[in-house]
Amino acid sequence: MKQNSWADFLATLGLLLVMAGLSMPSISHSIHSDLFRYVYASGAVMSLVGRIFSGQYQGADLRLKRLSRMPVWSSLFYCTAAFFVFYDRTSLRDFIALTLAGAAIQIVSSVMIAMALHKNKAN
């Protein structure tokens, strides 16, 4: 897989900001502070930009091509969650649900990519 170091760094930094923004309401015990909303939203956008510009699989395996696009979808879920964190300021239900969905997609895709790459090396 082709690697862009700046794009991978941006995606990683964005995911760290998403994690920090997600944990801030539980640490400060206040959902009325706007700081966590902006931290989360900036992390979601940084993650999306980093995932879009990171290297995609260029080989012949169609399964790996599809799997390499899945992290972009998880970042889109994070951006949708960022919209809902600003849209509904009284409830965090949609925000947390979309974040968990994006995290599940990211976990599944990373495991499946690793398995597919290992299978290709064995053949």
Side-chain angles (χ1 to χ4, degrees), residues 33-118:
S33 171
D34 284 339
L35 180 63
F36 85 93
R37 300 173 201 277
Y38 292 109
V39 170
Y40 185 89
S42 64
V45 170
M46 288 172 64
S47 172
L48 180 63
V49 170
R51 294 292 185 195
I52 288 174
F53 287 110
S54 67
Q56 300 295 324
Y57 180 74
Q58 299 296 326
D61 191 4
L62 291 177
R63 183 175 185 197
L64 273 173
K65 282 185 181 182
R66 287 191 304 267
L67 287 172
S68 68
R69 284 185 239 128
M70 281 182 71
V72 175
W73 283 101
S74 70
S75 295
L76 284 172
F77 272 91
Y78 297 146
C79 288
T80 307
F83 166 76
F84 279 109
V85 80
F86 285 105
Y87 180 72
D88 186 10
R89 292 182 177 265
T90 59
S91 172
L92 296 179
R93 181 184 60 224
D94 298 330
F95 159 66
I96 292 174
L98 285 166
T99 302
L100 289 175
I105 289 173
Q106 187 168 346
I107 290 168
V108 167
S109 69
S110 65
V111 169
M112 295 300 290
I113 288 171
M115 287 174 46
L117 285 173
H118 181 69

Side-chain angles (χ1 to χ4, degrees), residues 1-17:
M1 292 178 73
K2 182 182 168 192
Q3 298 291 322
N4 289 335
S5 61
W6 68 271
D8 290 334
F9 174 75
L10 191 65
T12 304
L13 183 63
L15 290 175
L16 287 172
L17 285 175

